[in-house]
Amino acid sequence: DIFSFGKNKIYIQKNLSISTHRPRERKQIMSSNADKFLEVAAGELPEGALLEHREFDNPLVKRYATKEMSYLWSPAMKFSTWRKLWIALATAEQELGIDISDTQLEEMRAKLYDIDFEYAAKKESEFRHDVMGHVHAFGAAAPSAMPIIHLGATSCYVGDNTDLVQLRESLKLIKRKLVKTIAILKAFAVKHRDLPTLGFTHYQPAQLTTVGKRSTLWMQDLILDLERVEREIDELPMRGVKGTTGTQASFLELFDGDHEKVKALNKRVCELMGFKKAIPVSGQTYTRKIDFNILSLLSGIAQSAYKMCGDIRLLANLKEVEEPFAKTQIGSSAMAYKRNPMRSERVCSLARYVMGLPNTAANTHANQWFERTLDDSAVRRIVLPEGFLAVDVILNLLANIADGLHVWPNVVRKHVMAELPFMATEVILMECVKAGGDRQELHEAIRVHSMDAGAVVKGEGKANDLMERIANDPIFAPVHGKLESMIDPILFVGRAPEQVDEFIAEEITPILEANSDLLKVESVDGVNV
């Protein structure tokens, strides 16, 4: 619409605002603003702007990781463990007759956590060697011990053995969180042990099960994972004291050819570091097959979590089950009504990453030429900590989801009753046959009624009226008086409630009782985003 006032025209933008600019002028202004945007967008970051946010933050650490698991893979944990290994080695060497004084050992113990990271980095830059950088940093803190730090050892003595300590401690944390998740799911399974729900095969309605029975499938996967975790914790070996190519030649030299003392040194260091055994033989490193086994285990947990959360996401779409949803939580920036299963989606996203890690470990192991190549180093610094950091987050999320998982029984029943009439037809047929009916005639009547009822459901979008059709057909007169009781959903769940009871009693309760101490431990932090 245009209104003329002398030489100027006012252009009214319907329902919005009034512009006093002619079309060409508006186009020029828009073009000018667009040019200004393109200019500023293409420009460089101003000097001094956003100084504290110019480096990449790993979202796994910055956004998701817990303090507990993050600490286990932190520099503080890594390099203090290096020092523990140097002290354990010197202690064992002294016990076996090497000239190391109590004063030297005391100074090493006193300076265990006195780590000058800047000095170590300076020395590493000078030597181009991280282990020697920290040897000198430890020696600067404990000067009397400098001559005997790292005596007879190679870099993998601290590097590989520390990795194994971190793997072991991380597995213990994963075990604790697995047990907690199983305990929470137990309560859910017991609560819903006899709530009938549609089973699905091929994601098509199948025979009924119960909500509680379905959750036992999730739990069964997790206890299989727990068994592997416990086995790895129990059987994980230390690399031990092996020397540069695994022959222990430097230690044999140190002990003047005394093989028994070398063997005793290896055993004693393992004892001091809390390991039951050392790997029997090695090259320079422990076999990278162990890394593959560990990451495969973590992949297994990720698979279990993905399956559980995948089920929850599908059930959320059906509005039968929902994960926790905070009072002020926003499901969508555009669609304000949405309740997205964001925690389950995050589990699946992280799980997908973890499930890909064993392939990297497999290639790393396969490409270790002879006694060792260094192409394992960089990738292991990434995949080992990130595998554990991700699974730790996944288990925190699983526990959080399970603890607040909400079931909508009326919706569950509605879906059951939409399909149950079809499932009940065999029972109806048998009852009518028992009352003297002709099986073939009954079967044909049921077939016709079922096809017609299905056409109503699919073609007209109406409710399943099969029971009404049967109730109005004289051929089914023997069951007319008890049709309602014959389609009670609980009659169609088989032994599902009893299976829940038996599974809990025989499988879950013994696990929780054996790990009751772990259930008392509170996690340092939980789910924040």
Side-chain angles (χ1 to χ4, degrees):
D1 294 335
I2 304 173
F3 294 88
S4 296
F5 293 91
K7 296 181 180 179
N8 293 321
K9 294 180 181 179
I10 297 178
Y11 292 84
I12 301 178
Q13 301 173 346
K14 292 181 180 180
N15 303 321
L16 294 175
S17 61
I18 297 177
S19 172
T20 59
H21 301 290
R22 293 184 177 90
R24 181 176 297 176
E25 292 172 340
R26 283 193 307 174
K27 184 176 181 180
Q28 289 173 344
I29 291 171
M30 290 172 62
S31 176
S32 176
N33 282 330
D35 290 340
K36 290 176 180 178
F37 162 72
L38 292 173
E39 181 181 0
V40 70
E44 295 183 359
L45 193 65
E47 185 176 353
L50 309 177
L51 289 176
E52 296 181 2
H53 302 279
R54 292 191 178 195
E55 294 182 356
F56 171 71
D57 285 327
N58 188 325
L60 188 53
V61 177
K62 190 77 172 181
R63 184 173 176 85
Y64 301 125
T66 67
K67 292 182 176 65
E68 290 174 291
M69 187 61 79
S70 189
Y71 166 71
L72 292 178
W73 294 93
S74 68
M77 173 69 176
K78 176 178 179 177
F79 295 113
S80 64
T81 303
W82 281 17
R83 291 193 173 187
K84 290 176 185 178
L85 284 160
W86 281 322
I87 297 170
L89 177 63
T91 300
E93 287 173 338
Q94 185 205 49
E95 290 176 355
L96 291 166
I98 301 300
D99 185 16
I100 296 173
S101 70
D102 290 344
T103 300
Q104 290 173 311
L105 293 177
E106 174 57 34
E107 190 171 26
M108 292 173 76
R109 291 191 297 267
K111 299 297 182 177
L112 172 59
Y113 297 108
D114 182 9
I115 303 176
D116 187 338
F117 284 96
E118 289 187 7
Y119 184 78
K122 177 183 176 182
K123 286 297 181 181
E124 179 181 350
S125 178
E126 178 183 341
F127 301 136
R128 306 296 294 174
H129 199 289
D130 57 347
V131 172
M132 288 309 298
H134 277 270
V135 166
H136 280 260
F138 198 9
S144 71
M146 182 60 178
I148 53 91
I149 293 173
H150 200 65
L151 183 60
T154 186
S155 298
C156 284
Y157 168 70
V158 288
D160 271 30
N161 283 321
T162 292
D163 289 343
L164 289 163
V165 170
Q166 290 174 302
L167 292 175
R168 180 186 63 186
E169 297 309 307
S170 297
L171 286 169
K172 289 178 181 178
L173 181 56
I174 292 299
K175 175 183 177 180
R176 193 185 90 204
K177 295 193 175 184
L178 267 173
V179 170
K180 180 179 179 180
T181 302
I182 292 169
I184 294 171
L185 282 171
K186 172 193 171 183
F188 180 85
V190 170
K191 180 178 180 180
H192 301 290
R193 61 178 290 279
D194 57 357
L195 177 58
T197 188
L198 275 178
F200 290 96
T201 58
H202 314 276
Y203 199 40
Q204 302 300 312
Q207 283 190 339
L208 301 191
T209 183
T210 67
V211 172
K213 168 62 190 301
R214 177 174 286 146
S215 69
T216 65
L217 303 181
W218 306 335
M219 297 164 70
Q220 180 169 252
D221 286 348
L222 293 175
I223 63 174
L224 291 173
D225 296 325
L226 179 62
E227 289 171 0
R228 286 197 63 190
V229 169
E230 291 177 328
R231 184 164 61 249
E232 288 292 347
I233 292 173
D234 187 57
E235 297 179 1
L236 189 68
M238 189 177 177
R239 174 189 174 272
V241 178
K242 292 292 196 290
T244 55
T245 59
T247 65
Q248 299 176 308
S250 59
F251 294 103
L252 191 62
E253 177 69 23
L254 184 65
F255 287 105
D256 298 322
D258 191 329
H259 290 264
E260 292 306 312
K261 283 192 174 182
V262 174
K263 289 162 61 177
L265 177 70
N266 191 44
K267 181 180 179 182
R268 183 58 174 151
V269 169
C270 289
E271 291 172 348
L272 290 172
M273 293 303 298
F275 282 84
K276 297 178 182 178
K277 61 183 180 181
I279 195 166
V281 294
S282 75
Q284 188 173 97
T285 68
Y286 69 79
T287 172
R288 297 313 186 211
K289 175 76 77 172
I290 290 177
D291 294 347
F292 172 78
N293 290 343
I294 296 294
L295 287 173
S296 297
L297 180 159
L298 296 182
S299 172
I301 297 173
Q303 294 161 33
S304 302
Y306 200 119
K307 191 281 192 274
M308 173 179 162
C309 289
D311 286 353
I312 291 171
R313 291 165 65 189
L314 293 170
L315 292 169
N317 174 260
L318 296 174
K319 296 180 173 59
E320 291 188 2
V321 175
E322 289 180 335
E323 66 174 40
F325 197 88
K327 185 177 180 180
T328 58
Q329 183 174 327
I330 295 174
S332 167
S333 62
M335 296 168 281
Y337 58 87
K338 293 199 75 179
R339 290 172 64 100
N340 298 329
M342 56 170 285
R343 299 178 201 193
S344 295
E345 290 174 312
R346 189 184 312 149
V347 167
C348 293
S349 182
L350 291 170
R352 189 179 302 126
Y353 173 69
V354 175
M355 288 187 287
L357 296 181
N359 186 55
T360 299
N363 279 290
T364 299
H365 172 59
N367 282 284
Q368 285 300 286
W369 304 340
F370 304 113
E371 280 66 50
R372 194 264 170 96
T373 62
L374 195 60
D375 61 355
D376 65 334
S377 179
V379 72
R380 292 178 68 253
R381 293 173 190 261
I382 298 170
V383 297
L384 292 179
E386 288 194 356
F388 276 103
L389 288 166
V391 168
D392 182 54
V393 175
I394 286 170
L395 290 175
N396 264 26
L397 286 164
L398 278 193
N400 178 269
I401 292 167
D403 198 34
L405 206 55
H406 188 83
V407 178
W408 297 102
N410 291 334
V411 179
V412 174
R413 181 176 176 81
K414 176 184 176 183
H415 292 155
V416 166
M417 297 312 295
E419 302 292 339
L420 189 57
F422 296 122
M423 301 176 193
T425 54
E426 186 174 1
V427 176
I428 292 171
L429 185 149
M430 296 306 296
E431 286 297 310
C432 289
V433 169
K434 289 178 184 178
D438 184 305
R439 191 267 178 196
Q440 310 312 328
E441 291 181 2
L442 289 162
H443 185 277
E444 177 61 16
I446 288 174
R447 187 190 69 81
V448 172
H449 287 318
S450 296
M451 294 300 105
D452 291 343
V456 168
V457 171
K458 298 175 183 177
E460 302 178 29
K462 295 180 179 179
N464 190 332
D465 64 355
L466 178 57
M467 287 299 104
E468 294 177 27
R469 294 173 184 273
I470 290 175
N472 293 325
D473 189 336
I475 196 173
F476 297 104
V479 298
H480 282 173
K482 52 182 179 180
L483 269 180
E484 187 173 343
S485 63
M486 292 179 69
I487 58 169
D488 183 347
I490 198 65
L491 300 176
F492 294 85
V493 300
R495 296 192 66 252
E498 290 74 22
Q499 287 179 337
V500 173
D501 297 340
E502 293 162 5
F503 180 72
I504 296 298
E506 298 171 11
E507 302 293 335
I508 301 302
T509 299
I511 289 173
L512 300 183
E513 289 177 349
N515 295 283
S516 59
D517 55 327
L518 297 182
L519 293 173
K520 298 174 184 176
V521 180
E522 290 292 332
S523 294
V524 172
D525 45 11
V527 177
N528 299 315
V529 292

